[in-house]
Amino acid sequence: MELKLLKKFRKTHDWVLAPGDMLYLPPNVPHNGVAEDPCLTYSFGMRAPSSAELISDWLDDLVANADESIRFQDPDLKLPEDPNEIDAAAMKRVVTALNALRMNDPDRLGDWFGRFITTYRSAGDILPSQAPRSPEEVEAELARGGELERHPWARLAWRRATRGGTLYCSGREFALSVKDAQTLAAAEYIDAAAFRKLSAKGRNAVLELLAGGCFQLLDVEALAAMQAMEDDFDSADDADLDAPEVEIEVFEYAQAAPGEPAQGTIETVSSNDEGVEVVVICDNDTDPESSPA
C-alpha cells in the first residue's frame, strides 16, 4: 500500500544503498524509498521532544513535589476601584506564588530534565535479570575477572550541578562527584580496576543500578562463553569469504501462469543431489530469453 504524505514531491538527490549502508535524513526532509531488489529495510525515527511535551512533564514534576502549604496570598489587598478587574497587584501575587515552587531553580530544572530525557521514548522498562548480589559478592566476582555490563536499553547522562555532578540513568538520579558521574555515564563495561577508582558514593550508585537491572554482572565463565561465540562467528565469516564461487546455469524457462504475480522475483529455492534449483517468476510481458535467471 502506497503511503504519501505530500501532494507534490520533487526529487533532488538519489542514492542506491548496498547491504549494510545507512542513509541519514535530517528533520523535515521528505523522501521516497523504493526497493530495487528483494530486501529488508529498517527505518529508525529519532524525534526530539516538543515544547508541549517538555512543559507538560515539567509541570507534572512540579505538581507532584509541590508544597501544599504554599498558597496564593493577598494580605495587603485593598478595595479596588473595579472589583471585577484582575489588576497588576494581583498578578504580582500570582508570580510570587509560582516562584515559591522554585521553577527558576537551575538544579531542580536540571534534575527534572535529566530524568525526563533518559526515559523519553524509551524502548521499554528495565527489570533485573539476576538475583540480588551483596556488595561483597560483586567485588569478589570482579576480582576474579568478571565485569559489569550495561543494559542495552539503559540511557545514562550527567551534568554539573551547583555542587559536584549528577548522574541520570533511565529516570534515576545520583548526586556524585563530577569525575564519577562522567565516568559512569560513558561506561558500557566496568571491571575491577574501574570499580575501585570510583568513590564510595560512586560504587554505591553502581550497586543500586545493578539491583535495578541497568547493569548485569558477568562472571568469568559467561565472559569465556561470549568470547567463544564471537570466535565462532568470526570463523564462520572467514569460511564464507573462502567459499568458492558458484556458477548458476539456466536450463529451463517457464512462462508465468494466469493469475500468478507478474514480476521478476525469486519464487522458490530448493536443493537436491544435483544442485540448487531457483524458480524465478518473470513479468508476463517480458521476453524470457532476455531475462537473466
Side-chain angles (χ1 to χ4, degrees), residues 28-29 90 169 186 223 239:
N28 301 318
V29 174
C169 178
L223 290 172

Side-chain angles (χ1 to χ4, degrees), residues 124-202:
D125 295 331
I126 298 175
L127 300 175
S129 60
Q130 298 174 320
R133 303 287 190 95
S134 68
E136 294 76 17
E137 290 176 319
V138 174
E139 292 183 15
E141 192 58 55
L142 293 177
R144 289 183 60 227
E147 290 183 346
L148 290 164
E149 180 187 44
R150 189 165 88 183
H151 194 289
W153 291 356
R155 295 181 187 169
L156 283 88
W158 75 281
R159 75 174 188 89
R160 297 180 189 273
T162 301
R163 291 185 178 182
T166 306
L167 174 72
Y168 307 97
C169 178
S170 300
R172 301 174 176 87
E173 66 178 86
F174 303 89
L176 303 172
S177 67
V178 169
K179 183 179 179 181
D180 281 357
Q182 188 174 19
T183 298
L184 292 178
E188 294 188 8
Y189 293 91
I190 300 175
D191 58 13
F195 189 75
R196 285 193 299 267
K197 289 181 180 179
L198 297 171
S199 67
K201 292 182 68 175

Side-chain angles (χ1 to χ4, degrees), residues 42 120 144 198 204 213 220 232 235 240 259:
Y42 296 90
Y120 179 70
R144 289 183 60 227
L198 297 171
N204 288 336
V220 177
D232 290 342
S235 299
D240 290 340

Side-chain angles (χ1 to χ4, degrees), residues 9-81:
F9 175 76
R10 183 173 63 87
K11 181 176 69 175
T12 60
H13 298 78
D14 186 83
W15 290 274
V16 177
L17 304 185
D21 287 351
M22 179 179 70
L23 177 65
Y24 170 70
L25 296 167
N28 301 318
V29 174
H31 65 284
N32 181 40
V34 178
E36 301 216 337
D37 299 298
C39 65
L40 292 175
T41 303
Y42 296 90
S43 296
F44 299 90
M46 294 174 286
R47 182 173 298 176
S50 66
S51 58
E53 289 174 308
L54 290 172
I55 193 64
S56 175
D57 198 271
W58 171 225
L59 289 178
D60 286 343
D61 187 81
L62 287 174
V63 171
N65 297 285
D67 186 350
E68 284 291 329
S69 64
I70 300 176
R71 296 182 179 273
F72 177 84
Q73 300 179 12
D74 52 3
D76 57 342
L77 181 63
K78 298 179 181 179
L79 184 64
E81 294 182 4

Side-chain angles (χ1 to χ4, degrees), residues 212-223:
C214 294
F215 279 87
Q216 67 171 340
L217 181 60
L218 301 177
D219 56 27
V220 177
E221 292 74 19
L223 290 172

